[in-house]
Amino acid sequence: MTVQLNHTIVAAHDKRASARFLAELLGLEVSEPYGPFLPVEIPNGVTLDYLDAQGEITPQHYAFLVSEGDFDTIFARVRAAGLTYWADPSHHRPGEINHNDGGRGTYFDDPNGHHLEILTRPYGSG
């Protein structure tokens, strides 16, 4: 059996602004709308399909495995945007990155409170 994640829906108060936020930080493109969704395709073929939502949004966690060079580029965008970032998912170590498994990683939030992570080594690989 072959199983692959194809897409997931990301609730947003403003799907256009939220999709653009992610795409600009990661150096990706916002795709054409698909029904009520505004997709951002990740290079491995998975799409994050942004959907306008009313009321409170339950924060989700989205982690992106990136190369060392891409980490530098994305992290520079995070800092240039003035975003708060943390070395840990609990947000106890602000202004730091981690070096888990011999790589680098950091966490930051999107405009809806979703927790985004970039990391250069998969957990457990070190």
Side-chain angles (χ1 to χ4, degrees), residues 1-2 32 38 56 67 69 76 80 84 91 96 103 110 112-113 116 119:
M1 175 188 299
T2 300
E32 291 297 317
L38 194 58
E56 187 176 337
S67 70
T84 301
H91 297 175
E96 297 180 39
D110 86 345
N112 301 288
L116 306 179
L119 66 158

Side-chain angles (χ1 to χ4, degrees), residues 43-103:
N44 65 351
V46 174
T47 60
L48 299 180
D49 295 340
Y50 283 85
L51 177 68
D52 283 330
Q54 303 298 315
E56 187 176 337
I57 292 176
T58 301
Q60 300 295 314
H61 176 79
Y62 301 96
F64 303 95
L65 184 61
V66 300
S67 70
E68 289 288 340
D70 287 339
F71 183 94
D72 291 335
T73 300
I74 296 165
F75 187 53
R77 291 179 187 136
V78 167
R79 288 183 293 165
L83 299 175
T84 301
Y85 58 92
W86 299 267
D88 64 304
S90 300
H91 297 175
H92 293 299
R93 295 172 49 202
E96 297 180 39
I97 65 170
N98 67 57
H99 297 278
N100 297 339
D101 292 295

